[in-house]
Amino acid sequence: MENQLAKSTEERTFQYQDSLPALPVPSLDESLKKYLEAVKPFANEEEYKQTEEIVQNFQNGIGEKLHQKLLERAKGKRNWLEEWWLNVAYLDVRVPSQLNVNFGGPAAHSEHYWPPKEGTQLERGSITLWHNLNYWQLLKMEKVPVHKIGNMPLDMNQFRMLFSTCKVPGITRDSINNYFKTESEGHTPSHIAVLCRGRVFVFDVMHEGCMMTPPELLRQLTYIQKKCHSEPDGPGVAALTSEERTRWAKAREYLISLDPKNLTILEKIQSSLLVYSLDDASPQVTPEDYSEVTTMVLTGDPTVRWGDKSYNFISFSNGLFGCNCDHAPYDAMVMVDICHYVDQKIFENEGRWKGSEKVRDIPPPEELVFTVDHKVLDDIDRAKEQYLKQGSDLQIVAYAFKSFGKMQTKKKQLHPDAFIQLALQLAYYRLHECPGSCYETAMTRAYYHGRTETVRSCTLEAVDWCQTMEDPSASLHKRQQKMLQAFAKHSKMMKECSSGKGFDRHLLGLFLIAKEEGLPIPELFTDPLFYKSGGGGNFVLSTSLLGYTRVHGVVVPMIHRGYGFFYHIRDDRFVVACTAWKSCAETDAEKLVKMVFQCFYDMMQLMNTAQL
């Protein structure tokens, strides 16, 4: 067990939590100005005038009163948004969350020491599980380095939610159970749950105070797989977690009423460090095309994924890996952090275990057997049916663009994130002949329990540039000037949103205050332009940068006629994953990604040929 990450640190992971500043409430005037600017690309003159009037009335009337109430709320809380956001964005949502809310992605080890190879599932699985458990130990000891921007520490609270965390369905609202504790806080669960062919097993990863080694973990996993491959499949109770939330809540209540033992089993799964999914699928992957493995991670066998779990570690039969995670307790950067750590360790050790082969005398895993009846089995069948039906409608395209990456864009003094966002705007404009309302994630972790804010990448400047690019009479010089203006605007917005000066969460707060006070919904939120521009979770493009490592992932589109678009940036390439619904005739993820790649070339060519 190594005691440090690559960067040695004396700081404790959670030591700055109490000194982080409270999440600020932006000024009403500023938020409304920014909102008006953001809706402009989607309005004709008449529509814009009408919205301008609605905003003016809001500001001079109910808006100011709601803003004052929000300021009052903020006085008593270090994060006025936290509870609201968790409920509205996640826990109150009733659609099945496993496909519609969870995020997932393939592990990057296939690019170096672990290409797909049958017969490697368990041996590789024991090694990568061991690295994951080392990270768990570092987190328990608060030795995971504090994330910082310069010298400014960021909020690390979400890291508490990575292990031993599970969402529990409710009739109208779900809840989150978190069992993780640091060493200084007391005992934390140390067992993992393993799902294989519809059956559930658990074993403790600690034995006589020491963590199991890969050869010991291998013995436990081999025991489970042999048992499952030589005996009939289990009922696959896990599939119920993929159901519509209220239906799953009722099915869960019924399951508990059948036998109190079922509750004990559920709690054992909920509190487990993580769920280890032994999946029989063998998806393909190449360094250029991650589509099949990404699809399997997000839409694969529901009987070996516990959809409510904060961490489903997926092990495929051909030695590929991935994760599928509930989005409610944390955002993707937590998973990116552990995946990057594990990938580095596998790379450093050439994909091998170099320690002792000795295996201690450890008790075998315990099987958890649910008491089920015909009703439960019918519920499971129905859950599987709806999940597989929706899953088969999802189109996932994940490709690497390898002609250039961060190095080239930086050389041209272009921010690589803004480069991709503007390429996406141009690609959407070319395919759909109109601007695409766009949500890009900004993080607000500079503040206590901060999570995200919306950057609306479809700016007036971006649309103006797209129109110039499509105008055959526009000069190269004009195109380049417009592009640089769009870049500058994007960077300014990202900076503002990360420092608590975005407007989307502020508007949500005002809307929720009105709701809580039993007031009529202000006209601002019923105005057609509010929805047309993406308000109320109606963005056509739902996007996020996953960082600058090899870690990859994806989420489904926000709306039926939309796209999910997720990407990471490396020195020599951009890797993108795009989702769309096949049942929507207007959208095609493959076409969008290919058009984005074409736009990358066009933008770089513009910078190479145009003279300032």
Side-chain angles (χ1 to χ4, degrees):
M1 164 65 203
E2 64 262 86
N3 287 327
Q4 299 157 309
L5 283 165
K7 289 177 185 166
S8 164
T9 175
E10 289 308 306
E11 291 175 327
R12 294 188 327 281
T13 306
F14 304 113
Q15 84 175 56
Y16 298 110
Q17 290 303 113
D18 292 339
S19 57
L20 289 166
L23 184 72
V25 177
S27 100
L28 183 62
D29 187 48
E30 281 297 303
S31 287
L32 294 176
K33 263 187 203 150
K34 286 173 185 170
Y35 170 68
L36 276 175
E37 203 181 314
V39 303
K40 212 167 193 175
F42 307 95
N44 59 34
E45 215 170 307
E46 195 184 318
E47 287 168 331
Y48 184 72
K49 268 202 177 114
Q50 200 179 334
T51 297
E52 218 174 11
E53 203 176 297
I54 289 168
V55 168
Q56 200 59 56
N57 293 340
F58 180 78
Q59 187 168 3
N60 297 335
I62 189 68
E64 184 53 46
K65 293 188 183 85
L66 296 174
H67 182 67
Q68 288 309 318
K69 284 184 188 294
L70 186 57
L71 290 171
E72 276 305 306
R73 176 187 169 91
K75 275 182 197 166
K77 293 176 184 284
R78 287 181 67 193
N79 187 317
W80 56 267
L81 177 66
E82 183 179 15
E83 188 189 338
W84 272 345
W85 181 249
L86 193 57
N87 291 337
V88 172
Y90 301 111
L91 303 182
D92 292 342
V93 175
R94 297 292 89 197
V95 297
S97 56
Q98 189 167 330
L99 258 184
N100 296 291
V101 180
N102 285 25
F103 57 81
H109 330 312
S110 61
E111 288 188 40
H112 43 85
Y113 291 103
W114 287 356
K117 188 183 175 189
E118 290 299 335
T120 60
Q121 181 181 25
L122 299 185
E123 190 189 346
R124 287 178 179 180
S126 64
I127 293 169
T128 183
L129 175 58
W130 184 76
H131 288 304
N132 272 278
L133 295 173
N134 277 334
Y135 188 96
W136 166 69
Q137 293 223 315
L138 290 167
L139 196 60
K140 276 198 309 174
M141 296 185 290
E142 293 195 64
K143 288 189 175 179
V144 170
V146 179
H147 289 189
K148 293 184 177 183
I149 294 176
N151 289 323
M152 181 178 73
L154 298 177
D155 185 276
M156 295 294 285
N157 181 60
Q158 291 178 53
F159 283 78
R160 290 182 166 277
M161 306 292 170
L162 175 57
F163 297 109
S164 299
T165 302
C166 198
K167 190 164 65 185
V168 176
I171 301 296
T172 56
R173 173 180 287 170
D174 299 344
S175 54
I176 291 174
N177 286 8
N178 174 244
Y179 306 82
F180 174 80
K181 284 190 170 76
T182 63
E183 265 184 1
S184 61
E185 291 165 344
H187 175 74
T188 194
S190 55
H191 65 283
I192 68 165
V194 180
L195 303 186
C196 183
R197 296 201 172 176
R199 296 165 74 173
V200 185
F201 297 81
V202 291
F203 65 86
D204 203 307
V205 299
M206 303 296 289
H207 181 66
E208 293 171 349
C210 290
M211 198 171 81
M212 283 190 194
T213 62
E216 290 168 340
L217 294 167
L218 176 60
R219 197 176 77 173
Q220 302 295 68
L221 295 173
T222 305
Y223 171 90
I224 292 167
Q225 193 183 63
K226 274 190 176 153
K227 204 166 165 55
C228 292
H229 284 226
S230 61
E231 296 171 6
D233 289 1
V237 171
L240 292 173
T241 66
S242 71
E243 192 44 287
E244 188 272 341
R245 301 308 296 169
T246 302
R247 273 216 285 268
W248 162 217
K250 287 174 180 170
R252 186 177 181 276
E253 282 177 3
Y254 179 77
L255 198 59
I256 293 163
S257 73
L258 262 187
D259 187 338
K261 258 194 339 201
N262 286 342
L263 176 59
T264 309
I265 294 173
L266 288 166
E267 284 175 344
K268 200 89 173 151
I269 297 167
Q270 286 161 201
S271 61
S272 65
L273 267 178
L274 52 79
V275 163
Y276 190 104
S277 309
L278 279 169
D279 196 311
D280 291 336
S282 293
Q284 287 315 299
V285 68
T286 68
E288 291 75 39
D289 186 351
Y290 309 80
S291 305
E292 196 178 313
V293 66
T294 307
T295 302
M296 288 310 300
V297 162
L298 214 60
T299 66
D301 182 356
T303 68
V304 293
R305 288 151 176 72
W306 199 267
D308 294 343
K309 201 75 179 125
S310 62
Y311 191 1
N312 286 278
F313 177 85
I314 300 165
S315 162
F316 291 109
S317 132
N318 59 345
L320 295 181
F321 299 90
C323 63
N324 185 305
C325 312
D326 175 34
H327 205 330
Y330 63 82
D331 299 314
M333 56 80 204
V334 175
M335 188 44 62
V336 169
D337 202 74
I338 184 172
C339 289
H340 178 54
Y341 166 81
V342 171
D343 187 49
Q344 275 185 311
K345 291 296 172 193
I346 288 167
F347 186 76
E348 282 166 21
N349 293 286
E350 300 161 333
R352 299 204 304 273
W353 163 244
K354 296 176 177 178
S356 165
E357 293 298 324
K358 188 172 171 282
V359 175
R360 292 169 290 171
D361 186 18
I362 291 168
E366 174 197 356
E367 183 167 10
L368 305 178
V369 182
F370 283 100
T371 301
V372 298
D373 64 5
H374 285 300
K375 183 189 171 342
V376 174
L377 295 174
D378 287 347
D379 286 345
I380 291 168
D381 284 344
R382 188 174 63 180
K384 282 200 281 199
E385 195 184 334
Q386 70 81 24
Y387 170 83
L388 294 169
K389 186 183 173 193
Q390 196 191 0
S392 66
D393 188 36
L394 188 63
Q395 179 194 17
I396 300 181
V397 172
Y399 295 150
F401 175 85
K402 295 171 89 172
S403 301
F404 57 83
K406 185 175 78 172
M407 301 280 278
Q408 282 294 100
T409 53
K410 286 274 196 187
K411 255 185 210 167
K412 302 290 177 194
Q413 295 177 317
L414 301 172
H415 194 292
D417 176 59
F419 185 88
I420 293 175
Q421 284 289 332
L422 287 169
L424 176 61
Q425 282 299 318
L426 182 57
Y428 186 89
Y429 192 86
R430 283 174 172 174
L431 285 178
H432 295 275
E433 298 176 348
C434 64
S437 62
C438 184
Y439 173 112
E440 183 187 3
T441 311
M443 66 174 195
T444 53
R445 288 173 58 212
Y447 302 99
Y448 178 77
H449 288 194
R451 285 188 66 165
T452 60
E453 177 57 275
T454 305
V455 174
R456 295 201 185 197
S457 305
C458 186
T459 58
L460 275 172
E461 290 82 351
V463 175
D464 200 11
W465 169 64
C466 291
Q467 288 166 344
T468 310
M469 287 295 281
E470 296 306 278
D471 174 5
S473 68
S475 68
L476 282 176
H477 175 70
K478 187 179 179 187
R479 286 176 181 181
Q480 194 196 44
Q481 289 300 100
K482 294 282 186 192
M483 184 168 94
L484 294 177
Q485 284 165 11
F487 264 92
K489 179 58 184 258
H490 189 274
S491 299
K492 179 174 179 273
M493 280 196 315
M494 181 57 84
K495 213 169 274 178
E496 286 176 352
C497 288
S498 301
S499 55
K501 291 178 182 151
F503 68 84
D504 270 275
R505 301 293 181 268
H506 186 193
L507 291 185
L508 174 68
L510 300 174
F511 172 78
L512 292 172
I513 288 270
K515 210 172 156 188
E516 280 186 8
E517 299 276 326
L519 299 167
I521 294 172
E523 198 183 354
L524 178 86
F525 303 106
T526 57
D527 175 18
L529 202 48
F530 178 74
Y531 293 98
K532 200 174 165 187
S533 63
N538 281 279
F539 291 96
V540 171
L541 296 165
S542 169
T543 77
S544 203
L545 162 66
L546 294 171
Y548 297 85
T549 70
R550 281 193 287 259
V551 180
H552 203 40
V554 75
V555 181
V556 303
M558 209 178 265
I559 58 171
H560 188 252
R561 57 176 190 86
Y563 298 93
F565 191 90
F566 300 82
Y567 51 94
H568 71 258
I569 292 166
R570 301 192 215 171
D571 285 350
D572 62 346
R573 73 191 72 178
F574 301 128
V575 180
V576 308
C578 183
T579 54
W581 296 110
K582 294 173 190 171
S583 54
C584 176
E586 296 166 52
T587 56
D588 185 330
E590 177 99 19
K591 276 186 183 165
L592 184 68
V593 169
K594 286 187 170 161
M595 185 60 86
V596 167
F597 287 2
Q598 183 56 52
C599 294
F600 288 162
Y601 286 121
D602 294 350
M603 289 163 73
M604 194 49 81
Q605 196 180 4
L606 187 60
M607 292 306 289
N608 287 336
T609 55
Q611 294 302 308
L612 275 170

